[in-house]
Amino acid sequence: MSISTLKLTLAAAGLMVAASTGSASASYCGDGKTVTFAGIDWESGAFITEVMKAILAKGYDCQVDSIPGNSVTLEQATANNDVQIFAEEWLGRSDVWNKAVEEKKVVAVGKTFVGASEGWFVPDYIVHGDPSRNIEAKAPDLKSVSQLSDPKIVEIFADPEEPSKGRFLNCPSGWTCEGVSSAKLEAYKLGETYVNFRPGTGTALDSAITSAYLQGEPILFYYWSPTAIMGKFKLVQLEEPAYNEACWKELSSANGKRDEGCAFPSVDVAYGVNSTFAAEAPEIVAVLEKATFPLEDVNGSLAYMADNKVDATAAAAEFLKTKADVWGKWVSDDARGKIEASLK
């Protein structure tokens, strides 16, 4: 039986079960199987994971769980079906993910959100100053990564432990973006002049940026949207050579050449789903296909987390309480009623 035929057969079976029981229970969950999510530790991924876990648990009577790990480990776990759903997969960025796609072990489902971006940033006050805080612009002409090799610029971003070098604040080790930014440091010939500093966790990355910003200190770092940091602070993204496929292929490969650097490609973010699970749980896949979070709502939820010092689970509950006009379109009427009842 082909995969497409199997999916159609399972979809029909799922509809028959729902019709006969009058419930929103998906057949996969009706069999008592657990849907395990990747325990993503960056803010947007953690928030979206908790929203989708709650929707499946409250609306479709699913047993849900998540397991912690870095993105590469969790991508491999998705390929192995130890994890069924990786809720914020940035497509094409990881050798592990690309290999799993080629082997048909995983599929990309839907669009988690659209309009995201990523790159290297500095605080706006480094370039333009901030009169309200009596901060003078230290690098008023800074626009591009090509200027980072200038000794005067290196000095501005001096590493506290190796002051003869600058510091570049990278992603935590094990994150896909860490490998790409490390490759860019080589490609831009900055490896000898900048310390490639990798914080231990996503929280540590955010703390370092927040601390520097609030103190008006220089900091050079990789970041992305949607995030609370991007919503709360005024930042300048440094220009890079235009993206091209050949350059990106080398940068994003662990064994690629480091002859040239280029900008990050436009971002496609989807639910990374194990292929076997996708065939076995068409009702859940149908929800994921519709579950596109508006970018402004993600940024708003992340700011809610930061301002109220609450975790992703609390932010997910607030989103479900206040944004039924958004998530209500993703689920069946029966599931929506059960989710809303659970929130009262």
Side-chain angles (χ1 to χ4, degrees):
M1 182 183 294
S2 69
I3 292 294
S4 59
T5 302
L6 177 59
K7 287 184 178 179
L8 288 171
T9 302
L10 287 164
L15 290 172
M16 290 173 64
V17 169
S20 64
T21 63
S23 97
S25 294
S27 59
Y28 183 92
C29 296
D31 290 341
K33 298 177 182 177
T34 297
V35 181
T36 300
F37 284 75
I40 303 169
D41 67 350
W42 62 85
E43 292 175 326
S44 57
F47 162 70
I48 289 166
T49 296
E50 291 304 321
V51 171
M52 299 314 298
K53 283 170 63 180
I55 284 175
L56 294 186
K58 305 299 184 182
Y60 293 87
D61 301 327
C62 295
Q63 298 293 321
V64 297
D65 195 6
S66 61
I67 59 174
N70 62 49
S71 58
V72 173
T73 301
L74 291 170
E75 285 170 338
Q76 187 60 58
T78 307
N80 297 342
N81 207 18
D82 296 321
V83 164
Q84 282 73 58
I85 301 172
F86 193 115
E88 189 184 311
E89 179 62 43
W90 290 48
L91 302 178
R93 302 302 176 86
S94 161
D95 286 347
V96 170
W97 180 260
N98 293 341
K99 182 172 183 287
V101 169
E102 291 175 4
E103 296 174 348
K104 303 189 185 307
K105 292 181 177 180
V106 295
V107 292
V109 175
K111 294 180 181 293
T112 308
F113 47 74
V114 294
S117 62
E118 59 183 320
W120 290 10
F121 293 85
V122 298
D124 181 79
Y125 54 74
I126 293 295
V127 180
H128 299 114
D130 185 350
S132 69
R133 295 201 284 165
N134 296 316
I135 299 174
E136 294 185 1
K138 292 190 175 183
D141 298 323
L142 180 59
K143 296 179 180 179
S144 167
V145 295
S146 65
Q147 297 168 268
L148 293 176
S149 58
D150 184 328
K152 293 180 181 179
I153 300 297
V154 174
E155 185 179 355
I156 290 171
F157 299 109
D159 184 272
E161 297 175 10
E162 290 188 61
S164 64
K165 295 183 178 182
R167 171 177 286 194
F168 172 73
L169 182 62
N170 204 336
C171 298
S173 296
W175 287 20
T176 302
C177 50
E178 181 271 324
V180 172
S181 282
S182 293
K184 285 192 177 197
L185 282 170
E186 288 187 51
Y188 292 136
K189 307 296 189 290
L190 299 173
E192 296 300 316
T193 49
Y194 283 83
V195 173
N196 184 8
F197 188 85
R198 305 165 180 88
T201 64
T203 300
L205 172 64
D206 291 351
S207 295
I209 296 167
T210 300
S211 176
Y213 194 96
L214 294 179
Q215 295 179 66
E217 295 294 332
I219 185 168
L220 168 67
F221 59 98
Y222 165 90
Y223 220 70
W224 73 98
S225 68
T227 51
I229 292 286
M230 294 290 279
K232 293 176 67 175
F233 300 145
K234 193 173 183 181
L235 306 173
V236 172
Q237 182 170 355
L238 298 181
E239 297 172 0
E240 299 182 64
Y243 165 83
N244 73 77
E245 190 173 347
C247 165
W248 182 256
K249 184 177 180 181
E250 299 296 337
L251 289 177
S252 59
S253 173
N255 299 313
K257 297 177 182 177
R258 307 292 184 248
D259 296 336
E260 63 171 331
C262 56
F264 291 88
S266 57
V267 178
D268 290 317
V269 183
Y271 295 93
V273 180
N274 176 268
S275 295
T276 300
F277 170 77
E280 293 176 347
E283 302 88 347
I284 295 175
V285 170
V287 174
L288 298 179
E289 286 174 340
K290 298 175 183 177
T292 299
F293 288 73
L295 199 61
E296 61 271 21
D297 287 335
V298 179
N299 281 328
S301 293
L302 301 183
Y304 173 84
M305 287 171 61
D307 293 342
N308 294 281
K309 295 181 172 56
V310 298
D311 62 12
T313 303
E318 180 68 14
F319 175 84
L320 292 171
K321 289 176 184 176
T322 60
K323 297 292 181 179
D325 58 320
V326 175
W327 62 261
K329 299 172 184 176
W330 307 340
V331 301
S332 67
D333 290 341
D334 187 17
R336 176 171 177 163
K338 292 169 71 175
I339 293 167
E340 289 180 329
S342 75
L343 298 170
K344 294 178 180 178

